[in-house]
Structures are given as structure tokens and as C-alpha cells.
Amino acid sequence: MSLVKDKYLVIVLLGGIITIVVFLYLHPCQSKEYRNLVLEIHEHKPVNNWSDTLNISIEEPQCAYINIYETRRLPKRKGTKDIRARLEYHDNNGNTFDKPVWLYAQGQSTLAQDKRNIGVRFCDKNEDSGDLELELSIGNWVPQKEFHLKANWYDCFRGSQTFSYKLYEQMNPSEGQELYHPDGFPCIVYLNGEFYGIYAWQLKKNRKNMGLTKNNPCHIWLDGTLSNSTFFNGEIKWESFEIRNPKHPTSSVIDSIKSFSRFCSLLTEIESNGTDSVIIKKALDCRLDIKRVIDYICFIQLTNNADGYAKNWQWVTTDGHRWSVYPYDLDGCFGYELGHFVNDGKSTWIKPTGPLFWVWNYYREEIRDRWNDLRLLGIFDIDNIMNLAVDWTSRIGEDNYTKEKMKWPQAPCYNDFVPDPHWELVSGYKEIPYYDPKKIYEIGDSCFWDFRIWKAVQRSKGNLPYIKYGYKDSMDRLKQWVDDRLMVEDEFMNQ
């Protein structure tokens, strides 16, 4: 029996190899290195070729390899025409497919970097009806036709925000397909058969992933800059955010949003009248999913994600009245900051804004208890966090990291910071004029450049504050940061 089984397995594997050889033969533009890589990926697994399928369902891979071809370039900025191309996919589970796609520039700050995020929208060509939408289901994710390839320019792991989502998921394990946050896996991208970079293949924002239906007026999803100055003061700046759901907002949807915007002002009025804290907590519980909000505060405080209290958060309600908050875009976690710098784990805590300010003030004991629970459960633990980072990097492998560094040596995570001798970096943030190359700066004068404050230590004109930016990122840097952060927050949460 075992001999028959072994012969059957050999036949299946040989069939798979033949399939891949034919596959490669039909794509002569690929480099020899890439062709050998594909053969190696599928060497020990039966091949499942999904190229002729519209609805694809596959397991989440350890690491995927894709080749984008039939285009000489990748998208660089928004507002330009999407790029038509083909995407060839391979993974270690034996899955492969070749599909037409539209590529577009994705993100905001990443578009200023050399290596950019890529949006991918799958389609399939039908001679009778034109482009047909393809749905791809990966692991337990909701099926989608679009995904994002995240460049993760700032961190040497090329995926810190993805394993940050996995940390958040440990706090609130999903029971179904709705994760309420993105997820991702490592993906090695080739362009016309040549290595291009390490990316994270990631879920994009999708109402199904948030448990919402597009025409339900009670299912409201707000995305964008929702800060004290743009929303939570009751004076809404509609251009600062997007109503992602429902698809066509009704007057009742607008009324629900306006009511939520006025909530903090109402709390201020109630508090000024000397109202008992029990009543204020009841009002908070009536309008907010307190458990979710407390977890969000604990998560943001641990990761020191400054963007998480104004811009990169998602506000969702399923009844038009009681709201939950969820994370998005976690590239600012674990010390990474705009302006190509990292902070240390001992930096001061971030002050919650909007409704979270009120939860912080009135649920301090509950926040402290939840923090300590997460510590005891081993979730907010240095070994657990480092294991998430190690798992991510091991899925990518040293060879790919070597290629990444050779491809993108200018990335800040690979370089030391070198200030110009005329300037020194000072801590803090304040509103001052941007650096002006035509201005003469006397000793002691300050300017704002690249999200930082700089002070002149020599008389200067035309000298940019830094020669090279960077911070030489590493696993050791991350470990020290997490260790320091846990020490600081343990003391702060329990004071």
C-alpha cells in the first residue's frame, strides 16, 4: 500500500513540476534566477494552478513570491492613471496563478519614499463581457478583489506594522472572518523577473472585514483625521475624513455623525455642572464600547503609536449610536516616527484625545487592571513581542534581507544619522517656520525640518540640517525599546 502511495505522490509531484515548467516556458521575460526560484518553491508540493479560476481560496502562506510583468514601471503617485499589468503568484503551499491586475499608488507618506506601497486590483479578461472581478480568499480573511503591498520603508524587518496587528489580534481574537483590522504575510516582489523588494501582502480597508453592510444606515464607518480640532469639538471639518460606510449616507447617517461629534462637548458641560462620576461613566458606556476603547488605549500606550489618537484610527458603529475604535496603519509603532527617526521606549506617554480622553480620566482603574491582565497573560511580554518579530523575519529569510539591503541601501533603517555641523537636533514639537535655505541663521536660531526641531550651533545659510538621516535598525534595537517601554508603562499604569 505504501509503495502505491509513494508512486502516486511521485506522479503528482512530477505533474506539478511539468505544470511549472510549462508555466515558466510561457513567460520567457523572467530572469534565470527567478525561474530557478519558482522551481525550488514548488519542488516538494503538488501544484495547484488557479490561473483559470475567478474565485480563489488558498491558505495563508509562510511567504509568497510574486512577479509583476507586462509593465516597465510601478505606480509612483496618486492621481495618475492606474497601470495595467499581470501578476504571477507562487507560494510554499503549492499555489500558483497568473492574473491581469490594475496597479495604483497607495498610502500618503510612503509616496515620498523611494520604495512605495502598491495597490493591486485583480480582474480577469472575458472576451464577451470585458473585465470580470476576481475574489481571492486567503486563510480566514474575507474574500477581496483588492490588496495592498506594503513597502514598510522605515523598519528593517519590512513588516513591523503587520506583526503589530498580530499583537492586537492576540488581545481580541476574532471569532469569524471579521478581523476589524488589517492582517498580512511576507511577500517577495519581482518586477519583470528581477528582485524588487520585500513587501507585506496586506488586507485593505473593507466593510466586510469590519462586519458592515454597505446600505445599512446604522453601519457607519469613519476614517481619516478625527481629532479634537477636526471632529470632536462639535465643529466638523468634513474634508478631514471619509465616510467609508454606508455607501450612500442618508440624513440619519449625517445626524448620527453630528451627534457623535458633539459628545465630548456634552461631557464637558455635564462635568462642569458637578455631575457624579457614576453618571458620567454611564454616559460613556452608553456611547462607547468601553472594553474595545480600553484595549485600544493599552495597545497605543505600549506601542507608542502617536498617529493612533488623531489620524490612523477607525471609528465604527453598528447601531448608529454606540461607537468602537480600531487601529489602522501601524508604521509608527515601536519607536518609528515620520522624519526618519526612532524614539526610545522611555519617551513620555501619549495623551488620549476625543472620547478616549474621557475614558482615560474616568476608567483609570479599569485601564490599569486590563494592562496588568495583558502582562499576566503573556501578551504584553517581551518574549511574546519578540517572538512575533522573529516569526516574521524567519518567514522571509536572510537571503531576501540581503537582497533588500542591496536593492535599497539608502533606506534610513540601514544608515547612521549624520547631522550637518551647523545644526543640532532638539527634542519636542512646536509651531515654528520651516527651514529656509535663503535665510541666515544665527547661533541659537531654530527651524522646523523633516518633522523635527533644529537649532543652529554655528552661523548658517544654505546648510540643510542633516547630511544623512538614519538609525541603523535591528532586532537588538527593538528588544531594548520594548524592554524600556514595558518598564516605563508598568510604572505609569500602576501609579
Side-chain angles (χ1 to χ4, degrees), residues 302-306 332-338 340-348 350 429 452 471 477-478 480-482 484-485:
L302 169 68
T303 58
N304 198 34
N305 180 24
C333 291
F334 299 117
Y336 301 108
E337 295 189 26
L338 286 174
H340 319 103
F341 294 90
V342 292
N343 59 51
D344 61 54
K346 300 175 183 178
S347 57
T348 55
I350 313 162
Y429 298 88
R452 287 295 183 277
Y471 39 82
R477 196 282 310 171
L478 176 63
Q480 185 64 57
W481 192 98
V482 174
D484 289 342
R485 190 68 184 170

Side-chain angles (χ1 to χ4, degrees), residues 207-231:
R207 61 174 57 90
K208 291 184 291 185
N209 193 41
M210 306 299 284
L212 307 175
T213 53
K214 66 180 179 180
N215 294 319
N216 189 328
C218 292
H219 286 192
I220 306 172
W221 177 7
L222 306 182
D223 169 32
T225 302
L226 299 154
S227 64
N228 289 337
S229 61
T230 65
F231 187 81

Side-chain angles (χ1 to χ4, degrees), residues 1-21:
M1 179 65 75
S2 61
L3 182 61
V4 173
K5 183 177 179 180
D6 290 344
K7 286 183 177 179
Y8 174 75
L9 180 60
V10 170
I11 292 171
V12 170
L13 289 173
L14 284 173
I17 292 173
I18 293 171
T19 300
I20 292 301
V21 170

Side-chain angles (χ1 to χ4, degrees), residues 277-493:
S277 62
V278 174
I279 295 176
I280 294 179
K281 289 182 74 170
K282 186 175 181 180
L284 286 164
D285 186 65
C286 182
R287 293 305 303 268
L288 300 172
D289 183 340
I290 295 297
K291 180 181 180 300
R292 283 281 186 183
V293 170
I294 288 175
D295 272 8
Y296 188 87
I297 290 174
C298 290
F299 177 75
I300 297 300
Q301 292 303 133
L302 169 68
T303 58
N304 198 34
N305 180 24
D307 272 353
Y309 281 144
K311 182 175 180 290
N312 289 331
W313 54 1
Q314 311 290 296
W315 284 95
V316 174
T317 178
T318 55
D319 63 3
H321 184 77
R322 195 165 187 258
W323 294 78
S324 295
V325 62
Y326 301 98
Y328 183 78
D329 196 357
L330 299 179
D331 59 356
C333 291
F334 299 117
Y336 301 108
E337 295 189 26
L338 286 174
H340 319 103
F341 294 90
V342 292
N343 59 51
D344 61 54
K346 300 175 183 178
S347 57
T348 55
W349 72 290
I350 313 162
K351 184 178 181 180
T353 60
L356 274 65
F357 167 81
W358 293 90
V359 174
W360 175 263
N361 284 344
Y362 283 90
Y363 285 85
R364 289 292 294 273
E365 290 186 9
E366 290 85 348
I367 294 170
R368 177 201 64 201
D369 292 345
R370 179 55 172 160
W371 174 272
N372 290 332
D373 283 345
L374 291 165
R375 295 286 277 131
L376 290 171
L377 289 168
I379 296 174
F380 283 9
D381 179 81
I382 189 167
D383 289 338
N384 179 55
I385 296 169
M386 295 309 299
N387 283 340
L388 291 172
V390 170
D391 176 71
W392 179 265
T393 55
S394 65
R395 293 166 70 174
I396 293 169
E398 290 185 13
D399 287 348
N400 286 318
Y401 280 115
T402 300
K403 293 175 184 177
E404 177 77 7
K405 191 172 182 178
M406 291 177 63
K407 176 70 176 178
W408 306 104
Q410 70 274 37
C413 56
Y414 301 136
N415 291 283
D416 288 317
F417 170 62
V418 182
D420 183 273
H422 294 82
W423 297 92
E424 70 175 7
L425 181 66
V426 296
S427 60
Y429 298 88
K430 59 181 178 179
E431 293 291 331
I432 62 173
Y434 276 83
Y435 166 76
D436 182 353
K438 298 179 180 179
K439 178 181 176 179
I440 297 176
Y441 290 90
E442 303 293 346
I443 295 175
D445 288 348
S446 297
C447 71
F448 186 82
W449 184 253
D450 220 347
F451 301 96
R452 287 295 183 277
I453 304 296
W454 304 84
K455 185 174 73 173
V457 294
Q458 299 180 36
R459 197 169 189 265
S460 174
K461 180 182 178 182
N463 300 295
L464 198 66
Y466 61 77
I467 297 171
K468 182 191 289 186
Y469 52 72
Y471 39 82
K472 280 289 181 71
D473 200 12
S474 68
M475 196 70 76
D476 288 339
R477 196 282 310 171
L478 176 63
K479 185 175 182 180
Q480 185 64 57
W481 192 98
V482 174
D483 197 29
D484 289 342
R485 190 68 184 170
L486 287 170
M487 178 183 64
V488 168
E489 288 297 325
D490 278 340
E491 180 179 351
F492 182 75
M493 289 290 189

